[in-house]
Structures are given as structure tokens and as C-alpha cells.
């Protein structure tokens, strides 16, 4: 007996091991399903703010309202979606899949109209507010069940981590595709020959008047290229959901007894907010994700107005995302060898280089900063979604007789991160309004340039440092993960044994 203990935990039977395994095709289809959201999200993250300011010609204050209220609407939708999804019954195609199928067509429509320039001026703010809020709410209705689906692909932690790595690789590729498509299609809307001259002075002259007339006509060139990009990305949405539906099979909760009842949403939310590992993980990564979002949303503005790199911004964005995409397997190896908590500190790599770019806006340095930032962004994308299933497993072990809590964890996590990024984006756009940002001009004032430098350098650095300090107190280690895995496996076997015993007793009585 002692020898068996020294040899390590017993391996599950071969038939169970086969049940745990996911084929490469299933992982790829699962990963492709989430890519369209990232394609659209990337395009919006990098280009929506400059579109609202320089194409739609709404004020920075109104742009900040659109960005903040839109993000807030998505955040509010998260717990609501979690509530209704947790109440959903099992169907022939699963419990989570119907939600994702139903919301996709409406997401495509709202995304297209989010980039449509209406022929009227007075109601533009309301137009973009309505469709951006709809888009955020609908992507939430997709993202919450899609993220929670990780728990229902396999019971094996390694298989789930592998599926998460596939997912994050494809999502980073989706982010790359979205930024590259959008950047290449709409670049001509932001390039002006007039802006290539008179670049030495930081003072606004009469020649720095708006380079483009206000495009009231929805079929003007500037408006048309944005609609073309929106149509292309809408097609990516439809292709992704078809591959996802036919390639992924959802499984019911493997740990729950048939007699277990779903945890009431309010009770589950209260338990979630009291679960220490979850609180620390969420607090850490909501700060880190806010920092990344600030970098993304202000990067094009920084390159255009503060670094004299307006002709290179689309290539710098592609450099960031290529670096992020190719480094996902690297981060997967790092977290397997050194642990997830240790790998998270790689996110801090971008801090010194971002500060260098702000202080020394040089083209070669800008590409190097873009490459290093991509490495850090990849880690910030992969790690929270890889660590969250461990938190859910830890909660399951402490609450073994409840089910349906997975969507509560995922929806509340997305709620907090969206709310924090919404507040960050709103404050950054309001800061541009306060310092006197003028849409469409070639050179902004010194105050605006200083604000952009702070939003790219100092603010993200502080947020990342504080987030990583909070992560020091995250209690789940690689050793505790293995213990949880073994305990859950024993729980599952006991559940199966209990159910088999009950069935045998019923047969005996009959």
C-alpha cells in the first residue's frame, strides 16, 4: 500500500483516458469558434476611437461616452447572460451551444451598422451608442457560454489547458487578422499627403486644418472603406460559427450527480465573490487587461499624432499581433515548465520598452517595442483563461453537490474586466477632450501629445505592476492543482459508484 502511494496517484482506466482526450480537429474547431469575436474586437480596439474622432467627427467627450457606455452595457450583460444560461436546460445540441448559434446573426448586423456613417449629423452619437451597445451585449451572449464550454470539453486539466492554448493561439491570430484586415482596408482613410509636411512644429497653424471634409455622404471614400472592412469581418463571423457547430461536441457536467441541483444564481454569485483564489485572479487581471486595452485603443492615435509614425501604424499593429500569435506556444511551454503564476510575470516585459518609445519616438525602436509588447500581450491573453478553470475546479472541490456554477464564474469575470476597461477607455477619451483634441487636424497641441504619451506609457505600467503585485497572493500552485485533479477524479468515481449502486438496488427490488 505504501509502495503504491510512493509511486504516485493511480492512473485512470484506459477507457476513461480515452474519454478525456480531445482530437486535434475538435480543439481546432473549438478555437476557430472564438476567433471571429477577436477579429471584430481587435478592429474595434485599434480603430473605433480614431474612427469616431476623425471619420464620424464626434467630439472626444461624446466618443468617451460611446466607449464607456458600450463597454458597460457588455459588462452588465455578463451576469444577466450567466443567470439565464445557468437556468438553461440540456438540448440535443447541448446547453451552451444554442446561445452561441442564436446570437451570431444579430452580432453581424450590429457590427456592420457600428461602422456605418449615417447621413445625418445630429443623431450620430445616439446611432453609434445604440449599435456599439448592441454589439457589446451580443458578443457577451456568445463569449460567456463559449468560455464556459472549456469545462465541458474534457475533465482532464491537461486537455483543457491544451484546448485553451489552441483557443488563445487562434484568438491571437484572429486579433491579427482583424487588425491587419482593418488596417489595410481603412489605411487610405487616414493618410493625407498634407500631413507629411510641416512635421517639425508642435503648434497648430492655419495649414493644420482638417485634411478631409466632413464625410456626410455614407458613400464617401472614408466611410466606404470602413463599411467594406465591416462586411468582410461579418463574413468571418458566419464562417467561424459554422465550423464551430459541426466540429465541437458539448458534454454534460461530468462531476455532477443526476440528483444534484443547479446552484441558484444569486447564491452562486455570492459564493463566487467569497472564493479567495477567484477574487485575487480577477483583481489582478482586470488591471492588466485594462492596461492592454489602453495600449490598443490609443496606439494608433499615438503613432499618428505623437510619434510622427502615421504611415507605419498599420505595420506596427501587425508586428504586435504577429509577435503575440507566434509566442503563444512559447508561453504554453513556460507555464507547463515553471507554472502559470510564474509565467504571468512575463507580462511586465512591455513596461520598460513602452516607456522608451514614449521618451524616444524612433521608428526602429517602435518596431522593437511592438515585438516585445506582442509577447506580453500574448501572456496576458493566455494566462487568465488558463488559470480560471483551475479556480473553478478548486470551487467544485469545496462545493461538490452543486452544478451550473461555471457560467457564473466566467460571466462575472468578463463583467469585471469589461467594466474596468470601459472605465479606462472613457477616462482616456475624456482626457483627450479636456486637453483639446481636434478631429481631423495633422498636428495636435502639446497637451494632447503629452496625454497620449501618458496613456501609452505611465498608466499601463502602473496598472500592470499593481496587478502583478496582487497576483503574488494567488494561492493555487502547481502542487495544489495536481491534488485538486486527483480529488476530483476520486469524486467522479464515487459519483459513478453511487449511481451504479442505486440502479442495482432498484433492479433488486423489482
Amino acid at each position: 500500500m505504501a509502495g503504491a502511494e510512493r509511486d504516485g496517484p493511480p492512473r485512470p482506466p484506459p477507457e476513461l483516458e480515452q474519454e478525456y482526450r480531445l482530437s486535434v480537429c475538435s480543439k481546432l474547431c473549438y478555437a476557430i469558434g472564438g476567433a471571429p469575436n477577436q477579429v471584430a474586437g481587435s478592429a474595434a480596439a485599434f480603430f473605433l476611437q480614431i474612427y469616431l474622432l476623425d471619420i464620424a467627427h464626434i467630439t472626444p467627450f461624446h466618443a468617451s461616452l460611446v466607449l464607456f457606455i458600450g463597454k458597460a452595457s457588455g459588462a452588465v450583460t455578463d451576469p444577466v447572460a450567466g443567470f439565464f444560461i445557468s437556468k438553461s436546460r440540456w438540448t440535443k445540441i447541448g446547453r451552451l451551444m444554442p446561445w452561441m448559434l442564436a446570437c451570431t446573426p444579430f452580432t453581424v448586423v450590429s457590427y456592420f451598422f457600428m461602422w456605418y456613417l449615417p447621413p445625418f449629423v445630429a443623431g450620430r452619437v445616439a446611432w453609434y451608442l445604440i449599435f456599439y451597445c448592441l454589439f457589446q451585449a451580443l458578443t457577451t451572449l456568445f463569449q460567456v457560454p463559449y468560455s464556459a464550454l472549456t469545462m465541458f470539453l474534457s475533465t482532464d486539466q491537461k486537455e483543457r489547458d491544451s484546448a485553451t492554448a489552441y483557443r488563445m493561439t487562434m484568438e491571437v491570430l484572429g486579433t491579427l487578422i482583424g487588425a491587419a484586415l482593418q488596417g489595410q482596408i481603412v489605411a487610405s482613410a487616414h493618410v493625407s499627403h498634407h500631413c507629411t509636411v510641416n512635421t517639425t512644429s508642435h503648434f497648430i497653424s492655419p495649414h493644420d486644418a482638417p485634411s478631409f471634409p466632413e464625410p456626410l455622404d455614407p458613400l464617401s471614400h472614408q466611410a466606404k472603406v470602413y463599411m467594406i472592412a465591416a462586411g468582410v469581418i461579418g463574413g468571418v463571423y458566419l464562417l467561424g460559427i459554422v465550423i464551430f457547430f459541426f466540429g465541437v461536441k458539448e458534454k454534460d457536467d461530468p462531476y455532477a450527480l443526476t440528483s444534484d441541483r443547479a446552484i441558484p444564481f444569486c447564491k452562486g454569485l455570492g459564493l463566487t465573490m467569497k472564493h479567495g483564489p477567484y477574487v485575487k485572479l480577477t483583481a489582478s487581471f482586470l488591471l492588466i487587461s485594462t492596461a492592454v486595452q489602453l495600449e490598443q485603443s490609443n496606439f494608433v492615435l499615438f503613432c499618428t499624432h505623437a510619434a510622427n509614425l502615421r504611415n507605419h501604424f498599420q505595420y506596427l499593429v501587425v508586428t504586435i499581433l504577429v509577435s503575440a500569435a507566434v509566442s503563444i506556444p512559447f508561453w504554453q511551454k513556460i507555464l507547463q515548465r515553471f507554472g502559470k503564476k510564474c509565467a504571468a510575470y512575463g507580462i511586465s516585459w512591455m513596461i520598460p520598452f513602452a516607456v522608451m518609445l514614449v521618451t524616444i519616438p524612433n521608428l526602429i525602436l517602435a518596431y522593437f517595442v511592438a515585438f516585445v509588447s506582442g509577447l506580453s500581450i500574448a501572456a496576458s491573453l493566455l494566462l487568465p483563461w488558463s488559470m480560471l478553470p483551475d479556480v473553478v475546479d478548486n470551487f467544485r472541490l469545496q462545493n461538490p453537490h452543486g452544478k451550473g456554477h461555471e457560467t457564473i464564474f466566467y460571466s462575472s469575470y468578463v463583467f469585471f474586466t469589461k467594466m474596468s476597461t470601459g472605465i479606462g477607455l472613457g477616462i482616456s477619451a475624456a482626457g483627450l477632450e479636456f486637453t483639446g483634441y481636434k478631429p481631423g487636424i495633422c498636428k495636435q497641441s502639446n497637451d494632447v501629445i503629452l496625454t497620449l504619451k501618458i496613456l501609452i506609457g505611465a498608466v499601463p505600467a502602473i496598472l500592470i505592476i499593481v496587478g502583478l503585485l496582487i497576483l503574488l497572493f494567488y494561492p493555487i500552485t502547481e502542487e495544489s492543482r495536481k491534488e485538486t485533479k486527483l480529488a476530483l477524479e476520486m469524486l467522479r468515481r464515487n459519483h459513478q459508484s453511487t449511481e451504479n449502486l442505486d440502479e442495482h438496488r432498484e433492479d433488486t427490488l423489482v
Side-chain angles (χ1 to χ4, degrees):
M1 193 75 171
E5 289 178 358
R6 282 193 298 268
D7 290 337
R11 294 177 60 84
E15 61 272 13
L16 285 181
E17 282 194 340
Q18 189 65 31
E19 179 187 344
Y20 298 158
R21 291 188 177 277
L22 292 171
S23 67
V24 172
C25 180
S26 294
K27 294 176 186 177
L28 280 174
C29 291
Y30 171 65
I32 290 171
N37 254 2
Q38 302 305 313
V39 173
S42 171
F46 282 107
F47 293 96
L48 183 58
Q49 182 164 266
I50 198 170
Y51 170 81
L52 294 175
L53 294 174
D54 287 358
I55 305 299
H57 283 204
I58 67 176
T59 66
F61 175 73
H62 288 137
S64 71
L65 287 180
V66 171
L67 294 172
F68 171 69
I69 296 175
K71 284 286 186 180
S73 69
V76 170
T77 307
D78 285 304
V80 176
F83 172 78
F84 285 108
I85 293 170
S86 67
K87 299 289 185 182
S88 301
R89 295 183 178 181
W90 185 265
T91 68
K92 291 182 180 179
I93 58 174
R95 185 164 60 93
L96 305 176
M97 186 69 76
W99 289 88
M100 295 177 274
L101 290 177
C103 69
T104 298
F106 300 101
T107 306
V108 173
V109 173
S110 64
Y111 181 78
F112 178 82
F113 283 110
M114 190 176 81
W115 299 99
Y116 174 75
L117 186 71
F120 47 83
V121 179
R124 282 186 186 175
V125 175
W127 175 277
Y128 291 116
L129 184 60
I130 289 169
F131 284 106
Y132 188 50
C133 287
L134 280 173
F135 173 71
Q136 287 292 331
L138 289 166
T139 54
T140 294
L141 286 176
F142 182 95
Q143 194 65 31
V144 169
Y146 176 76
S147 302
L149 186 62
T150 309
M151 302 300 298
F152 302 101
L153 295 176
S154 174
T155 58
D156 187 84
Q157 291 177 346
K158 287 185 178 180
E159 288 296 303
R160 291 201 309 249
D161 285 347
S162 177
T164 300
Y166 273 79
R167 169 193 162 191
M168 297 317 302
T169 301
M170 195 60 66
E171 287 191 357
V172 172
L173 286 174
T175 304
L176 168 62
I177 292 169
L181 275 176
Q182 190 87 358
Q184 294 302 318
I185 295 173
V186 309
S188 60
H190 299 285
V191 173
S192 171
H193 174 72
H194 174 71
C195 289
T196 61
V197 299
N198 193 26
T199 58
T200 58
S201 175
H202 287 283
F203 296 98
I204 301 173
S205 69
H207 298 289
D208 291 325
S211 303
F212 304 118
E214 188 167 0
L216 298 175
D217 181 7
L219 296 181
S220 64
H221 173 72
Q222 293 83 12
K224 190 184 295 184
V225 292
Y226 270 96
M227 287 191 290
I228 291 171
V232 172
I233 291 175
V236 173
Y237 258 110
L238 297 177
L239 177 62
I241 194 64
V242 169
I243 295 173
F244 177 65
F245 175 71
F246 287 105
V248 177
K249 183 179 179 182
E250 179 184 346
K251 300 175 183 177
D252 203 357
D253 188 345
Y255 293 125
L257 286 165
T258 54
S259 59
D260 285 348
R261 294 183 178 182
I263 299 176
F265 182 81
C266 292
K267 179 182 177 182
L269 187 60
L271 292 172
T272 299
M273 294 299 102
K274 295 177 183 176
H275 193 59
Y278 177 74
V279 171
K280 295 178 178 66
L281 180 70
T282 302
S284 172
F285 277 98
L286 72 83
L287 294 174
I288 292 170
S289 62
T290 302
V292 172
Q293 187 69 49
L294 283 173
E295 289 272 355
Q296 287 183 326
S297 62
N298 291 290
F299 187 75
V300 175
L301 284 170
F302 173 81
C303 290
T304 302
H305 298 298
N308 294 328
L309 298 172
R310 66 173 64 246
N311 294 325
H312 296 272
F313 73 82
Q314 66 266 40
Y315 306 113
L316 289 168
V317 169
V318 170
T319 302
I320 292 173
L321 298 175
V322 168
S323 171
V326 300
S327 64
I328 288 287
F330 163 77
W331 286 115
Q332 181 68 9
K333 293 291 184 183
I334 290 293
L335 66 87
Q336 287 176 350
R337 182 167 183 178
F338 299 103
K340 299 177 183 180
K341 187 174 175 179
C342 180
Y345 292 96
I347 298 170
S348 63
W349 292 356
M350 69 186 293
I351 295 175
F353 298 102
V355 174
M356 286 173 62
L357 178 61
V358 166
T359 54
I360 314 170
N362 175 272
L363 179 60
I364 297 176
L365 178 61
Y367 276 99
F368 186 71
V369 170
F371 173 77
V372 176
S373 296
L375 299 179
S376 297
I377 289 172
S380 72
L381 292 173
L382 173 65
L383 286 164
W385 297 112
S386 181
M387 297 166 82
L388 196 53
D390 301 336
V391 173
V392 176
D393 280 346
N394 183 271
F395 181 85
R396 157 64 77 185
L397 192 60
Q398 298 180 21
N399 300 271
H401 293 289
K403 61 180 180 180
H405 55 278
E406 295 85 4
T407 52
I408 299 174
F409 273 96
Y410 281 87
S411 63
S412 56
Y413 175 79
V414 178
F415 167 80
F416 288 118
T417 53
K418 279 190 176 180
M419 185 61 76
S420 65
T421 55
I423 293 171
L425 291 177
I427 292 174
S428 71
L432 294 176
E433 167 82 10
F434 179 76
T435 53
Y437 182 90
K438 303 295 182 184
I441 67 174
C442 296
K443 293 299 290 185
Q444 299 290 339
S445 67
N446 287 333
D447 289 340
V448 172
I449 292 172
L450 177 62
T451 301
L452 287 171
K453 290 181 176 181
I454 292 172
L455 292 173
I456 285 290
V459 176
I462 292 170
L463 292 174
I464 289 172
I465 290 171
V466 175
L468 293 177
L469 288 175
I470 294 173
L471 197 63
L472 284 173
F473 301 96
Y474 177 70
I476 297 179
T477 62
E478 294 305 300
E479 290 74 18
S480 64
R481 276 199 336 125
K482 294 175 183 177
E483 293 171 1
T484 300
K485 177 183 177 181
L486 178 60
L488 285 175
E489 184 56 45
M490 294 297 294
L491 179 67
R492 186 187 185 198
R493 291 181 184 179
N494 290 338
H495 281 182
Q496 290 175 336
S497 301
T498 302
E499 290 179 346
N500 292 337
L501 182 59
D502 290 341
E503 291 176 1
H504 178 69
R505 285 176 179 172
E506 289 177 3
D507 294 339
T508 303
L509 289 173
V510 172

